Amino acid sequence: MRYSEVSRDIPRVSQKVLTHTLRPLKRDGTVRRHHPSVSTVN
């Protein structure tokens, strides 16, 4: 799930609080960051 989707699904959460909550979860391995692959058009 993208950050923007999480932010949208949790009403009235500030960016600061959401980021502050997600960082330890990422560090502990509960959530992981996904970097989508970018393809180039030839």
Side-chain angles (χ1 to χ4, degrees):
M1 182 176 258
R2 293 177 177 261
Y3 181 91
S4 60
E5 292 173 317
V6 174
S7 179
R8 213 175 313 129
D9 287 347
I10 303 173
R12 298 185 304 259
V13 67
S14 70
Q15 181 178 355
K16 180 180 177 180
V17 170
L18 184 57
T19 300
H20 183 75
T21 303
L22 290 175
R23 276 192 185 136
L25 296 174
K26 179 182 163 197
R27 188 174 42 245
D28 295 342
T30 304
V31 296
R32 59 187 177 140
R33 190 172 181 153
H34 174 71
H35 299 279
S37 60
V38 178
S39 61
T40 58
V41 176
N42 292 326

